[in-house]
């Protein structure tokens, strides 16, 4: 069983409580995909210069946000970890000359658990959370993802969780998406259709409205795209599964790579 890698926009933490077109899509996606043996999630909310990954037998739930309804802080996602999968991922990184540090006691941040709670609400699939490094070059991020590509053939679901257009300073109440956000997303879609790595790796110079879509203070939300793409370097086929917007420009999209 070979699984596609996924890039999933995790949107607002409120998505954990929401019932809308996007959350219903994620619920269906979890039901339609072959059940993975394990899940490895590169989360935008774990940005670190060192490659890190979780090593817990049982995950705590991080409520790494503030100002939300009390109900949000009562939600949990007690997914198990897997010493075997942690060791397997570590071996893949070591083979690529990347030393990864195993961390215990951190828990799953909302970039990981909010998405997984919609897709796999039973929380019964082993999960390993992985950090990203927004200061690395896109090629380095892609290459790190590629180190895990063989895991897809072993039934491991690799997810990059972030947001292609994620600029919280530009969101506003609107049911219609801002043109600039749509233009950026469509440019990304065009490059993904042909797996145009030279253009994608230079998106900050080539893509329209790149500074709005990926602000300097929010790059960590964009870079999980490259980690997820790299995990499908041996196939290089992209398919957009979903696209919508909240708050004018907050892009809610899901891409499949195989």
């Amino acid at each position: 069983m070979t699984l596609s890698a996924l890039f999933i926009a995790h949107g607002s933490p409120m998505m954990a409580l929401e019932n809308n077109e996007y959350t219903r899509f994620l619920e269906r996606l979890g039901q339609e995909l072959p059940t993975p043996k394990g899940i490895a999630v590169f989360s935008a909310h774990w940005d670190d210069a060192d490659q890190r990954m979780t090593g817990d037998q049982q995950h705590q739930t991080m409520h790494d946000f503030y100002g939300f309804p009390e109900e949000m802080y009562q939600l949990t996602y007690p997914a198990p970890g897997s010493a075997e999968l942690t060791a397997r991922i570590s071996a893949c990184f070591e083979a690529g000359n990347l030393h990864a540090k195993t961390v215990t006691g951190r828990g799953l941040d909302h970039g990981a658990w909010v998405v997984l709670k919609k897709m796999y609400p039973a929380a019964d699939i082993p999960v390993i959370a992985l950090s990203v490094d927004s200061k690395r070059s896109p090629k380095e991020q892609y290459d790190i993802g590629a180190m895990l590509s063989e895991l897809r053939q072993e039934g491991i679901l690799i997810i990059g969780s972030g947001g292609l257009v994620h600029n919280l300073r530009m969101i506003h109440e609107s049911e219609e998406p801002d043109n600039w956000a749509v233009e950026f997303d469509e440019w990304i879609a065009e490059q993904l259709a042909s797996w145009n790595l030279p253009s994608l790796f230079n998106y900050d110079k080539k893509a329209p409205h790149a500074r709005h879509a990926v602000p300097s203070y929010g790059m960590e939300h964009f870079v999980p795209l490259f980690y997820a793409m790299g995990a499908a370097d041996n196939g290089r086929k992209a398919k957009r599964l979903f696209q919508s917007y909240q708050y004018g420009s907050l892009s809610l999209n899901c891409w499949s790579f195989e």
Side-chain angles (χ1 to χ4, degrees), residues 24 27 34 100 104 111 114 138 162 188 203 221 226 228 230 236 244 254:
R24 291 190 293 272
E27 291 167 357
T104 57
V114 168
I188 295 293
Y203 74 91
H221 274 77
F226 294 125
R236 298 194 170 196
S244 67
C254 179

Side-chain angles (χ1 to χ4, degrees), residues 138 164-165 178-211 213-214 222 225-226 229 238 240 243 245 251 253 255 257:
L164 298 188
V165 181
D178 293 338
N179 289 336
W180 65 266
V182 175
E183 290 175 12
F184 179 84
D185 268 328
E186 290 309 310
W187 185 90
I188 295 293
E190 291 173 7
Q191 313 316 309
L192 288 175
S194 59
W195 211 266
N196 188 344
L197 295 182
S199 287
L200 286 165
F201 287 170
N202 289 281
Y203 74 91
D204 56 333
K205 301 177 182 65
K206 294 179 176 291
H209 316 293
R211 290 185 179 181
V214 190
F222 185 77
L225 173 70
F226 294 125
M229 286 183 69
R240 183 159 54 182
Q243 179 71 64
Y245 296 87
S251 182
N253 42 29
W255 281 90
F257 305 121

Side-chain angles (χ1 to χ4, degrees), residues 146-157:
M147 294 176 192
L148 304 185
S149 60
E150 63 191 57
L151 297 184
R152 296 193 301 115
Q153 298 172 333
E154 301 171 15
I156 304 303
L157 178 61

Side-chain angles (χ1 to χ4, degrees), residues 74-152:
Q74 305 305 316
L75 295 177
T76 61
Y77 190 77
S82 167
E84 181 182 0
L85 183 52
T86 296
R88 183 74 181 89
I89 292 171
S90 180
C92 289
F93 284 149
E94 291 290 349
N97 199 31
L98 177 68
H99 177 67
K101 297 183 178 180
T102 300
V103 176
T104 57
R106 179 180 185 273
L108 298 179
D109 60 59
H110 77 269
W113 72 260
V114 168
V115 167
L116 295 179
K117 191 172 182 65
K118 291 297 181 182
M119 294 178 67
Y120 303 107
D124 56 356
I125 300 173
V127 176
I128 307 299
L130 299 158
S131 67
V132 299
D133 182 358
S134 62
K135 293 182 173 59
R136 287 184 183 267
S137 71
K139 184 181 186 305
E140 289 177 306
Q141 295 155 356
Y142 182 98
D143 288 345
I144 290 173
M147 294 176 192
L148 304 185
S149 60
E150 63 191 57
L151 297 184
R152 296 193 301 115

